[in-house]
Amino acid sequence: QVQLVESGGGLVQAGGSLRLSCAASGSIFSINAMGWYRQAPGKQRELVAAIISGGSTNYADSVKGRFTISRDNAKNTVDLQMNSLKPEDTAVYYCNAEGLVRGVIRRPFGSWGQGTQVTVSS
């Protein structure tokens, strides 16, 4: 019912920048939180950054000061600006959104994007 489409991944040298974007569509009544997670080979998926509808943000310690999450509530989009990238940032990055769907009964939803590869070369 709610789809997330990510874009912006790619290959970059250490120290470079990338910007990831994610757009949510479907039967959306409201989105409470949007965020970015990542999963490196052989590792568990981990939270990178999240932002709630009021604008409060949360970052993993490993990306604080380098990554910035932003959101457009009107467009149901969330971006992740990644600066000073390091090889250890290499992973598949997933967009996540949680909220309520439209309908007589506004059920909660939690959706994931398909993932976008970010590779940082040393």
Side-chain angles (χ1 to χ4, degrees), residues 52-109:
I52 64 172
S53 57
S56 296
T57 58
N58 183 35
Y59 294 93
D61 288 342
S62 59
V63 306
K64 284 180 180 176
R66 301 188 297 122
F67 291 10
T68 302
I69 190 169
S70 59
R71 177 176 169 177
D72 187 326
N73 291 330
K75 296 181 179 179
N76 291 330
T77 59
V78 62
D79 292 344
L80 184 68
Q81 178 65 42
M82 304 184 293
N83 298 328
S84 302
L85 282 161
K86 304 175 181 180
E88 50 263 43
D89 294 318
T90 296
V92 178
Y93 284 69
Y94 296 90
C95 178
N96 173 265
E98 297 178 355
L100 299 174
V101 296
R102 290 198 304 265
V104 175
I105 300 175
R106 295 167 184 164
R107 296 185 179 88
F109 75 87

